[in-house]
Amino acid sequence: MSGKHPLKLLVERQKNGQACGIYSLCSANEYVITAAMERALADKDYVLIEATANQVNQFGGYTGMRPADFRDFVYSLALKAGFPYDKILLGGDHLGPLTWQAEIAETALEKSRELIRQYVLAGFTKIHIDTSMKLADDPPDGPLETAIIAARGAMLAREAEVASTQVRQINPEALSPVYVVGSEVPIPGGSRDSEEYIHVTEAADFESMVETFKQAFQQYRIENAWEKVIAVVVQPGVEFGDERIHAYERPAAGRLSRSLQKYPGLVFEGHSTDYQTARALKEMVEDGIAILKVGPALTFALREGLFALSHMEAELFRFSAEVEQSRFMEALDSCMAYHPENWLQHYRGRPGEIRYARKFSFSDRCRYYLPDMEVKMALDRLMKNLQSVDIPLTLLSQFMPVQYKKVRDGLLQPDAQSLLKDRIINCIDDYLYAVKPGRS
């Protein structure tokens, strides 16, 4: 892969009047990534796969993977799926002091520089720089000044540029990274409260933010890097929480959308676009939100598929004493109950309400527990049990009606893995409808 970055070309098309975009898959789950690759094979299209700073970093993150490990993991899945490496775009999400907010700026930013360096050296070429969070020695009152956010962001961009030069010395054909900046950045994984209204970024604040970041890049003498900034993260009024979805309201974001016309090289990047309707997603792309981030909605669909398969397993083997059932749903909830650290700050209420949220919340904290050894063993047994039988159409109709119709139409094989990946593809198809011009 060489020449102009595919995302640069995408921005050019968007600015030339094509309502086009790309969805960004933010997940480290192998079923989710494989489903996205298999779906992209049909269109001979790119997949944009991003890792978040708390998920993958130089210390391993909660996945235990460093940036190079995540790259190798993605490539191993591509090899199995027959997906070409040159159609994979790797991105780093929320790169900055996200994981080190309790530390003073000096140490947190030193770790952030190493973080972004390792991402670029590992071949990640879409770099979202996020320095919007306060650090331990920042003034406690009021929001962090945009000038401070921009200066820290420029410092990290300079680190990325140095690393990119090193990469291109080894491989002159390597893509130079493109950058995403912004200060009104939603927290990863969705909102933790139940606000009735989500504040939409003011057009004047967006324009001031762009100018402040541009000046910071100039002060750090990386004007060339500013030309690689393709998108700005804003809040267009979309968010989700435990049970609530804040839907995109086009009129509310109208002034912000129109302000984008002043910047021929920039589009918006939308975070927390999970659970928006296909129509709303398309309107967002038409309004300049050309990069749609999605993560929890995909693992929510995965979880729905696994629960459906669990119900089918229970019916198929209820009276088969010789078959050890997976009890996947029980294994998952047991793990979450014994290790509450990944959901404790998200789920509130009475014990019954919390038990319900652990299974069904839009925040989908389940995803943090799927790599657990006991949960993974239960998942593997579930798939093994269902692969040993022909799943009856009657059970497909009952528990996975969309997949039932595809099986009946000869579009899908009725095996457990195909059914599970297709449930994820249901979600992906909403995004493809939104980002592909003329798709119905």
Side-chain angles (χ1 to χ4, degrees):
M1 194 191 305
S2 62
K4 188 172 289 189
H5 198 290
L7 295 181
K8 268 279 194 182
L9 296 172
L10 176 71
V11 172
E12 291 176 4
R13 290 170 57 204
Q14 166 75 218
K15 304 305 281 191
N16 285 330
Q18 292 188 48
C20 61
I22 192 168
Y23 82 93
S24 174
L25 182 162
C26 300
S27 177
N29 182 273
E30 62 182 283
Y31 283 107
V32 170
I33 294 173
T34 302
M37 289 178 175
E38 291 183 1
R39 183 64 186 84
L41 276 173
D43 292 338
K44 298 181 180 178
D45 210 348
Y46 288 96
V47 290
L48 172 55
I49 302 169
E50 300 208 35
T52 306
N54 62 340
Q55 181 186 58
V56 173
N57 58 48
Q58 65 265 41
F59 303 108
Y62 70 75
T63 63
M65 287 188 280
R66 294 169 297 178
D69 299 326
F70 185 80
R71 174 203 62 205
D72 294 344
F73 168 67
V74 170
Y75 283 179
S76 70
L77 297 178
L79 184 63
K80 293 178 184 176
F83 192 83
Y85 291 173
D86 62 357
K87 288 291 187 179
I88 298 172
L89 301 175
L90 293 175
D93 194 27
H94 293 283
L95 299 190
L98 171 70
T99 311
W100 307 294
Q101 295 178 57
E103 301 184 22
I104 63 172
E106 182 180 0
T107 60
L109 293 173
E110 182 60 34
K111 290 176 180 176
S112 300
R113 285 196 290 269
E114 178 60 19
L115 171 74
I116 206 165
R117 189 183 77 87
Q118 288 199 18
Y119 266 83
V120 174
L121 290 178
F124 290 70
T125 64
K126 179 187 175 292
I127 304 298
H128 169 219
I129 299 173
D130 181 9
T131 51
S132 62
M133 61 289 297
K134 284 189 174 184
L135 304 176
D137 55 346
D138 285 326
D141 299 325
L144 192 61
E145 294 181 11
T146 302
I148 295 175
I149 295 171
R152 291 173 177 175
M155 177 187 65
L156 295 185
R158 184 175 64 183
E159 191 74 33
E161 286 292 285
V162 172
S164 175
T165 299
Q166 295 174 356
V167 170
R168 291 176 67 83
Q169 286 174 347
I170 298 170
N171 177 16
E173 297 299 308
L175 287 175
S176 294
V178 294
Y179 301 107
V180 177
V181 300
S183 60
E184 294 204 18
V185 184
I187 63 171
S191 174
R192 297 180 186 179
D193 55 39
S194 56
E195 294 179 64
E196 291 293 333
Y197 174 76
I198 295 294
H199 169 74
V200 175
T201 300
E202 296 289 344
D205 291 340
F206 159 66
E207 293 175 18
S208 174
M209 178 170 53
V210 171
E211 185 58 33
T212 303
F213 269 88
K214 183 178 180 179
Q215 291 175 2
F217 275 57
Q218 291 171 343
Q219 290 168 1
Y220 274 80
R221 298 186 177 183
I222 50 170
E223 291 89 346
N224 289 342
W226 180 253
E227 299 303 315
K228 301 174 188 176
V229 175
I230 61 166
V232 178
V233 179
V234 293
Q235 176 50 276
V238 300
E239 186 58 278
F240 64 92
D242 193 6
E243 292 186 328
R244 182 183 297 272
I245 301 169
H246 293 274
Y248 182 61
E249 296 182 9
R250 195 172 219 172
R255 186 173 297 177
L256 175 63
S257 177
R258 289 190 293 274
S259 70
L260 189 62
Q261 297 171 8
K262 299 178 182 179
Y263 303 98
L266 295 178
V267 296
F268 290 139
E269 175 167 289
H271 286 222
S272 299
T273 70
D274 306 72
Y275 309 110
Q276 296 294 312
T277 66
R279 181 66 249 172
L281 292 169
K282 183 170 277 293
E283 289 180 353
M284 291 170 70
V285 173
E286 291 170 351
D287 293 343
I289 308 169
I291 303 173
L292 303 174
K293 303 293 277 292
V294 56
L298 295 171
T299 45
F300 185 88
L302 169 70
R303 194 271 312 156
E304 283 189 330
L306 289 170
F307 279 17
L309 293 175
S310 297
H311 286 301
M312 287 190 267
E313 178 197 35
E315 295 299 332
L316 285 168
F317 300 106
R318 187 180 301 278
F319 303 109
S320 301
E322 72 281 4
V323 176
E324 180 184 355
Q325 291 196 40
S326 70
R327 302 193 181 279
F328 171 79
M329 294 169 64
E330 292 88 342
L332 176 61
D333 193 59
S334 176
C335 183
M336 295 181 75
Y338 277 108
H339 303 282
E341 58 272 10
N342 287 315
W343 57 261
L344 197 59
Q345 300 302 315
H346 293 258
Y347 302 153
R348 300 179 179 89
R350 295 185 295 272
E353 293 172 326
I354 291 175
R355 283 196 297 271
Y356 179 87
R358 286 202 302 259
K359 284 186 176 180
F360 301 114
S361 167
F362 283 131
S363 298
D364 186 47
R365 308 306 290 179
C366 294
R367 67 187 186 275
Y368 289 88
Y369 298 87
L370 293 178
D372 177 87
M373 183 178 297
E374 295 295 324
V375 176
K376 192 173 187 309
M377 287 175 60
L379 192 159
D380 290 343
R381 182 169 295 278
L382 169 66
M383 303 304 285
K384 181 180 178 181
N385 285 345
L386 291 177
Q387 297 284 40
S388 71
V389 296
D390 292 329
I391 299 176
L393 288 173
T394 50
L395 287 184
L396 279 182
S397 180
Q398 177 68 39
F399 295 109
M400 301 184 85
V402 174
Q403 284 65 46
Y404 164 80
K405 291 180 179 179
K406 289 186 178 181
V407 170
R408 291 295 309 275
D409 288 338
L411 301 175
L412 180 65
Q413 293 298 313
D415 63 273
Q417 290 214 15
S418 297
L419 294 167
L420 182 58
K421 287 183 287 188
D422 193 73
R423 177 62 194 92
I424 300 164
I425 288 171
N426 291 161
C427 179
I428 291 172
D429 280 342
D430 285 346
Y431 285 84
L432 293 178
Y433 166 77
V435 301
K436 300 295 182 183
R439 178 160 292 193
S440 59

